Amino acid sequence: MDMKFLLILTLITAASAQKCRGTFFNNKYYNMEVLKEGLNRVKQMIYSSKENSVYFIYDQGGILYNGGAGYYNLNNHQAGFFMGIRNATSLAVDNNKNRIYIGCAEGLYAVTDGNLPERFPISEPILSLYYKDDLYFTNIRRKVYKFDLDGVKLVPEMRYDFADNIIVDDDNNLFFLKDKKVNRVKLDTGAPAFEVTEFPVNLMTMDVDGKLYVATNDGIYLYNRYKYALDKISNLKNVKALSFDKKWDPIYVVFDLLVRLKNPVECYEDNDAFFK
């Protein structure tokens, strides 16, 4: 049996129950649409609402890391990649300015109209990026900085801490992935960080409402800001990248497939039983 067909069948049956058809995600059942095949070794993905496109970092292969930055337009289904960016590592989006930031071994690039990368005045290797009013990034030493009109400044709350990946929410919380564990610190308070997860996490992402999701080997979890805890919302496994479009539909990469969950079905079951 074809491996990709077996994978898709496994995902559908694992996320379905006897009474409801479809892929279960956050209290809804969705139809699954494979958008594109052949996305090898994807490491991160973001969504641009102005372009209605997803942008992703992928490993082009070789003995040494050779990261590239690509995109897929959800309107016309065209895909492409950015030339001239060596060892791309991370992405961030400023939807107000319709600008995509790309971090790489040589520093920072920005992409606006025409998908032409433009060099920004940061020349050190960048590990991760996130845009929330200002641009936040981590360097190769895993230190967290903010880049604004006043220049580059170390985030005070992270002076003695380290991060592999970062996200800032609407409540001025900085979530950061350190050694595969999610931590949270309140910015502009001087308060210490504390650990959110005791189990390993593969990636973090946010939807258009500013809700935090994490993917693990066991499934997808949603951060509950009222309980300061994570609630499991899907059994989807092997997810390499996760984002959400402007309709709140999940888009993710599993193995080398770009998948979108769309057209949620009106169906209700015992969700506690689903996760058993």
Side-chain angles (χ1 to χ4, degrees):
M1 181 180 292
D2 182 81
M3 181 59 69
K4 288 181 181 177
F5 176 78
L6 179 62
L7 167 64
I8 294 173
L9 182 62
T10 302
L11 289 174
I12 293 175
T13 54
S16 303
Q18 293 181 350
K19 297 179 182 178
C20 292
R21 298 284 182 179
T23 302
F24 185 78
F25 193 100
N26 202 13
N27 297 318
K28 295 180 182 178
Y29 286 85
Y30 291 85
N31 294 318
M32 187 175 68
E33 175 189 18
V34 177
L35 298 171
K36 184 173 175 57
E37 300 181 15
L39 296 185
N40 295 319
R41 305 182 185 94
V42 169
K43 295 180 174 293
Q44 184 197 4
M45 182 170 61
I46 62 171
Y47 171 76
S48 168
S49 60
K50 294 291 180 67
E51 299 293 334
N52 196 27
S53 298
V54 289
Y55 296 79
F56 48 86
I57 298 294
Y58 64 100
D59 188 350
Q60 301 179 82
I63 298 176
L64 301 176
Y65 175 71
N66 185 19
Y71 59 89
Y72 180 88
N73 188 287
L74 298 169
N75 292 328
N76 57 30
H77 307 289
Q78 291 185 350
F81 61 94
F82 298 103
M83 299 288 291
I85 298 180
R86 186 176 65 88
N87 290 342
T89 58
S90 51
L91 296 162
V93 57
D94 178 357
N95 281 307
N96 292 326
K97 294 181 179 178
N98 195 24
R99 177 182 290 166
I100 304 296
Y101 294 100
I102 304 175
C104 67
E106 298 173 345
L108 179 67
Y109 287 83
V111 179
T112 52
D113 297 334
N115 281 338
L116 296 176
E118 179 182 327
R119 190 71 182 266
F120 259 53
I122 295 178
S123 57
E124 66 174 318
I126 288 178
L127 180 65
S128 66
L129 289 168
Y130 195 79
Y131 186 87
K132 177 63 178 175
D133 299 326
D134 295 304
L135 184 66
Y136 294 82
F137 71 93
T138 62
N139 63 9
I140 196 67
R141 297 183 302 278
R142 303 164 73 199
K143 303 301 292 183
V144 183
Y145 293 85
K146 183 169 75 168
F147 179 35
D148 58 18
L149 295 176
D150 296 324
V152 175
K153 297 174 291 187
L154 182 69
V155 173
E157 287 77 14
M158 295 294 293
R159 185 177 302 277
Y160 304 109
D161 220 327
F162 304 91
D164 301 304
N165 200 5
I166 49 176
I167 283 179
V168 180
D169 71 2
D170 294 334
D171 294 327
N172 211 30
N173 293 303
L174 171 69
F175 293 90
F176 60 99
L177 204 57
K178 182 177 71 171
D179 301 327
K180 304 205 77 170
K181 302 290 181 67
V182 178
N183 296 261
R184 182 178 75 91
V185 64
K186 193 79 168 180
L187 296 177
D188 303 324
T189 64
F194 65 88
E195 195 172 81
V196 176
T197 60
E198 297 179 353
F199 49 83
V201 169
N202 298 325
L203 65 92
M204 303 186 301
T205 190
M206 275 196 171
D207 66 10
V208 293
D209 283 336
K211 296 177 182 177
L212 178 74
Y213 297 77
V214 302
T216 73
N217 293 335
D218 184 49
I220 310 295
Y221 291 77
L222 172 63
Y223 180 71
N224 188 321
R225 67 181 63 183
Y226 303 106
K227 298 191 301 183
Y228 302 106
L230 291 164
D231 299 324
K232 190 174 184 182
I233 60 165
S234 176
N235 276 335
L236 286 174
K237 297 177 175 63
N238 300 311
V239 172
K240 295 181 177 181
L242 173 65
S243 192
F244 298 85
D245 65 16
K246 55 190 173 185
K247 296 181 180 178
W248 293 273
D249 290 338
I251 304 172
Y252 60 94
V253 175
V254 56
F255 293 97
D256 71 338
L257 302 175
L258 179 64
V259 180
R260 174 168 57 183
L261 302 182
K262 57 186 296 188
N263 302 327
V265 181
E266 289 292 336
C267 189
Y268 302 94
E269 289 186 321
D270 183 356
N271 295 337
D272 291 335
F274 175 83
F275 290 119
K276 292 180 180 178

